[in-house]
Amino acid sequence: MRSTPGSVQSIDRVLEILETLSTAPLGMSLSDLSAATGLHISTTHRLVNVLTEHGYALKDSSSGKYRLTLRTFEIGSRVSSVWNLLSAAKPHLDELAATSQEAVHLVERDGNGIVYLYKAEPFQQLVRMASHVGLRNPMYCTGVGKSILALLPQKEAEEIWNSEEIQAFSPSTITTFPDMIKEMERIRTRGYAIDDEEHEPGVRCIAAAIRNWAGAPVAAVSISAPVTRMDEATMDRLLPKLLATVEEISRMLGYAPS
């Protein structure tokens, strides 16, 4: 085992225990786990307890053996869903960017916010956008975020709202929940969201949510452009393309509209 100082060494050892337990679906006794990892039994006991406290392992009360929980599967499934989403969406996003000749974004819901997974930008924008892959933003001030927020139960949407430190990024930013309720109603009625310079001055976008097999809004796609180009006529022209793209990706994730 690689020896490194301090807490890094502890992380190495915890990961080694995690990997060792993954090879024993029926569990391992503390002594067997200690022998398999080459760690002192007291060290093994301390570290496997860390995994247990965080829900990654459990101790069977009858056999006394430790085994992994489905927590690791849950995390693996999240990563898998990101890659499946990217794999399913990328060709459609590239096509949307090529036909619209504007910047196209794919975001995924990440807890109470959204994370940018992909950005297709067919040419240099007149207005430089702050968006980039890996960026995390709140839901309330972005078109992609609002499109997801609008399809959540209102109680959940309110919990997300209350978890944020609401700030006005521009004079257009919605900063009260009653106003957001009205905005969510508009989004549900028309089937898409508009970010009218609410997060970035000079940038307007249209966005719609992607649903998974259960109908839950898990991601969203947007088309963004400088306000000088993204006028009402342009939005009307691009909306059918955006909605068709979102519907196709949703179907690939198993969503079947009623």
Side-chain angles (χ1 to χ4, degrees):
M1 185 180 69
R2 185 173 70 254
S3 178
T4 51
S7 60
V8 175
Q9 185 181 49
S10 294
I11 294 171
D12 282 344
R13 290 172 170 176
V14 168
L15 292 175
E16 186 166 357
I17 290 173
L18 192 68
E19 291 174 2
T20 302
L21 285 176
S22 72
T23 66
L26 298 179
M28 298 179 72
S29 67
L30 186 62
S31 58
D32 287 343
L33 185 56
S34 174
T37 57
L39 298 172
H40 191 277
I41 195 164
S42 62
T43 301
T44 305
H45 184 255
R46 175 172 58 85
L47 295 178
V48 78
N49 279 345
V50 172
L51 290 174
T52 302
E53 289 169 4
H54 287 272
Y56 291 92
L58 60 81
K59 183 179 181 181
D60 188 281
S61 57
S62 57
S63 68
K65 291 183 177 181
Y66 292 89
R67 64 178 175 83
L68 295 183
T69 67
L70 290 178
R71 174 70 171 151
T72 50
F73 175 76
E74 178 188 348
I75 292 175
S77 296
R78 288 181 196 162
V79 175
S80 175
S81 69
V82 169
W83 289 111
N84 287 341
L85 175 60
L86 279 173
S87 177
K90 187 177 182 301
H92 302 284
L93 300 174
D94 290 340
E95 182 180 350
L96 183 61
T99 57
S100 68
Q101 284 296 291
E102 301 294 355
V104 170
H105 299 93
L106 170 69
V107 307
E108 184 185 43
R109 180 183 175 182
D110 181 39
N112 291 341
I114 48 101
V115 172
Y116 288 76
L117 300 182
Y118 188 69
K119 180 178 182 179
E121 200 166 18
F123 62 91
Q124 183 64 40
Q125 297 287 333
L126 294 177
V127 176
R128 183 172 179 81
M129 297 181 188
S131 58
H132 58 82
V133 173
L135 176 68
R136 193 181 199 286
N137 269 333
M139 290 194 197
Y140 72 92
C141 58
T142 58
V144 279
K146 290 191 300 178
S147 68
I148 294 172
L149 203 63
L151 298 182
L152 296 174
Q154 185 165 314
K155 182 179 179 183
E156 185 176 357
E158 186 171 6
E159 288 172 353
I160 291 172
W161 177 274
N162 291 334
S163 73
E164 292 287 351
E165 183 179 341
I166 306 299
Q167 57 177 305
F169 292 91
S170 79
S172 301
T173 307
I174 297 172
T175 56
T176 70
F177 192 64
D179 285 342
M180 181 56 70
I181 291 175
K182 295 175 184 176
E183 175 73 351
M184 292 190 295
E185 290 172 351
R186 286 190 289 267
I187 293 167
R188 287 191 292 270
T189 298
R190 65 193 178 205
Y192 63 93
I194 299 174
D195 175 353
D196 193 7
E197 299 186 83
E198 293 164 49
H199 190 244
E200 286 187 67
V203 176
R204 182 177 291 140
C205 84
I206 49 176
I210 295 169
R211 297 177 186 256
N212 66 4
W213 61 272
V218 295
V221 175
S222 69
I223 304 175
S224 303
V227 293
T228 52
R229 284 206 303 270
M230 188 64 86
D231 55 19
E232 189 170 342
T234 301
M235 287 193 286
D236 288 343
R237 175 175 59 84
L238 295 179
L239 269 169
K241 297 178 172 58
L242 171 68
L243 296 177
T245 298
V246 165
E247 182 178 350
E248 181 62 26
I249 297 170
S250 296
R251 288 182 183 274
M252 294 179 74
L253 295 183
Y255 176 61
S258 57

